[in-house]
Amino acid sequence: MALSHSIYDSPVFLQACHQFDAAADIIGMDAGVRERAKYPRRTLIVTLPVRMDSGKVETFEGYRVQHNISTGPAKGGIRFHHDVTLGEVAALAMWMSWKCSLVGLPFGGAKGGVVVNARDMSNGELERLSRRYMQEIATFIGPHLDIPAPDVGTNEQVMAWMMDTYSNHVGHFDPGVITGKPVALGGSLGRKEATGEGVAWFTKAYLADMGLKTSDSTVVIQGIGNVGSETALALTAAGAKIVGISDFTGGITNPKGINIPDALAYIAKNRSLQGFTGGESLTNDQLLELPCTVLIPAALERVITEQNAGKLKCRLLAEGANGPTTNEADRILAQRGDIELIPDVLCNSGGVIVSYFEWLQNQSAYYWTKEEVFDKLHKMLAKAKASVDETKAKYQCSRRTAALVLGISRVAEAKAKRGLFP
Ligand code: NAD
């Protein structure tokens, strides 16, 4: 397939392909398997007419991309954002495949998205859009086919509307179709915290490997949404000082430490960080270059670039977001050699692990305590970390490539053993 003529031809999809090729080279992956493993298995594009509060009908475009279904039902979140593109969703779906495989989940990879600025919508408009999107993808997904979850711009309430729409479609309560639901509707205890809990767990573990104490560390977080806020709370509880946070409106910094509960209460009330007085204002670009022990991008892709990679002043870069570091920035960071990197597919895997636990609990209709959830989560994170570090040492490659070697190897083996169809 010629990349230059592909609908997936976007910088972020090419970024994911480049990362994939580096890992595929190491394991000497056959060219035929490579092409199959790279491109999405199936893509659905939907048109979503929604009645707005004004009485007018607005039409939105949505996607669902199933990258890999060779190792189980596809799994991946749904993003509502005005900049969503098909190429971006395809890249995010590919990363889901490698992530699920790396941590040993019985899932393939998928992602969904709707091109919309959900922040400007009323609650009623958001509900109608969420339900319409689910209505359009309902025949494409299911608890044994493809299981969505929250991502940027979607949350527990959106998952509840989507689960209800799907359940009405099939004629019975079917909570296993989607994860990240409210606990009252079959959600798992600990799912809301899971991604941030995982990012914080890896941060603490790698700081310890570097001989640094979490309680002596300063942390900067770009994107104080679901992942960023839960990471901030977990690292604050471990004694770290959060010296910078941001959202889409910009950031704040406070060398004495930002009061995270106060900042989150402010955001809940005002719907953004703008105007919060617990620190000095700065731009998102400036935030990324603040001196700190740990820098955690937890917003969107491609924010650590050729322009700023040489200027980062952290010791550890923990990728809470998917795809925050461009290929050029990876190269600069490798040349610098003074920053440890926890790659996205490892660093934010706590979210999909607890989504898997939620799906398991839905299958058996038997629910676990939060302690059980976190205990099982930490064991899986520890196993994944050990495998990645062992693979990094074995191949003398970057931690990102080591994680991807593990992720793609299992998918490639499953494809080779099953034959051409899956
Ligand atoms: P979210 O919508 O809850 O939060 C996103 C945050 O980023 C918000 O604070 C938003 O204001 C901010 N933001 C948006 N545009 C920005 C910009 N240009 N500059 C700075 N900040 C900006 O989303 P989330 O669920 O926390 O997801 C964040 C990242 O983590 C994404 O890359 C997502 O794919 C990844 N991720 C999420 C989960 C999950 O469980 N939610 C799991 C794994 C990975």
Side-chain angles (χ1 to χ4, degrees), residues 48-65:
L48 310 167
V50 173
R51 174 109 28 221
M52 307 304 279
D53 292 348
S54 64
K56 282 194 187 146
V57 174
E58 264 188 48
T59 303
F60 300 90
E61 185 167 294
Y63 315 109
R64 185 73 190 167
V65 175

Side-chain angles (χ1 to χ4, degrees), residues 102-406:
L102 159 65
V103 297
L105 303 182
F107 291 137
K111 207 81 181 191
V114 176
V115 189
V116 59
N117 194 348
R119 145 175 316 281
D120 289 347
M121 286 185 139
S122 70
N123 217 35
E125 289 168 342
L126 186 62
E127 175 173 357
R128 293 193 286 282
L129 175 69
S130 303
R131 288 185 181 280
R132 184 67 196 230
Y133 175 74
M134 176 49 78
Q135 184 67 46
E136 294 303 328
I137 68 164
T139 53
F140 195 59
I141 64 156
H144 299 287
L145 275 178
D146 178 2
I147 306 134
D151 192 75
V152 174
T154 57
N155 57 22
E156 279 187 2
Q157 178 58 75
V158 171
M159 298 304 111
W161 289 323
M162 290 188 178
M163 188 278 288
D164 179 65
T165 307
Y166 183 85
S167 294
N168 283 312
H169 172 81
V170 295
H172 58 89
F173 180 61
D174 204 351
V177 69
I178 207 159
T179 58
K181 302 176 294 290
V183 172
L185 292 175
S188 177
L189 291 171
R191 174 60 186 90
K192 188 164 73 66
E193 299 91 333
T195 312
E197 172 68 20
V199 174
W201 187 93
F202 282 118
T203 299
K204 289 184 277 184
Y206 278 104
L207 283 175
D209 288 356
M210 293 160 71
L212 299 172
K213 277 190 181 157
T214 302
S215 55
D216 291 341
S217 300
T218 55
V219 180
V220 169
I221 303 178
Q222 184 195 44
I224 192 85
N226 170 273
V227 177
S229 62
E230 294 298 342
T231 303
L233 291 169
L235 287 176
T236 304
K241 207 193 287 177
I242 315 295
V243 295
I245 56 171
S246 73
D247 71 1
F248 73 104
T249 63
I252 60 151
T253 179
N254 185 343
K256 292 195 185 126
I258 296 163
N259 184 322
I260 296 299
D262 277 2
L264 297 180
Y266 182 90
I267 295 167
K269 190 163 167 231
N270 299 283
R271 301 190 71 200
S272 86
L273 191 59
Q274 196 167 38
F276 179 63
T277 53
E280 210 176 294
S281 299
L282 76 180
T283 65
N284 265 294
D285 287 346
Q286 291 168 327
L287 180 104
L288 294 172
E289 294 174 21
L290 283 174
C292 58
T293 322
V294 190
L295 174 63
I296 307 182
L300 299 171
E301 304 89 42
R302 300 176 68 76
V303 293
I304 312 291
T305 64
E306 206 169 1
Q307 277 69 43
N308 62 12
K311 300 183 199 157
L312 301 189
K313 297 182 193 72
C314 59
R315 298 283 311 276
L316 178 64
L317 176 60
E319 295 185 334
N322 287 306
T325 310
T326 65
N327 303 138
E328 296 75 21
D330 261 342
R331 195 177 33 77
I332 294 168
L333 294 175
Q335 266 167 9
R336 280 183 59 161
D338 58 344
I339 297 178
E340 291 292 326
L341 185 143
I342 317 175
D344 49 8
V345 288
L346 181 67
C347 194
N348 66 36
S349 61
V352 73
I353 292 174
V354 178
S355 272
Y356 165 56
F357 296 162
E358 181 171 330
W359 178 78
L360 279 181
Q361 292 170 77
N362 293 150
Q363 303 302 311
S364 59
Y366 177 75
Y367 289 87
W368 312 348
T369 64
K370 191 164 165 183
E371 288 67 32
E372 281 175 278
V373 168
F374 276 10
D375 183 48
K376 288 179 173 43
L377 169 66
H378 295 157
K379 287 195 174 110
M380 289 187 78
L381 298 178
K383 193 168 161 213
K385 177 178 182 289
S387 325
V388 169
D389 290 341
E390 197 182 300
T391 307
K392 179 176 182 287
K394 179 173 168 191
Y395 292 112
Q396 295 290 301
C397 61
S398 71
R399 196 169 284 115
R400 183 188 312 290
T401 300
L404 293 176
V405 161
L406 287 165

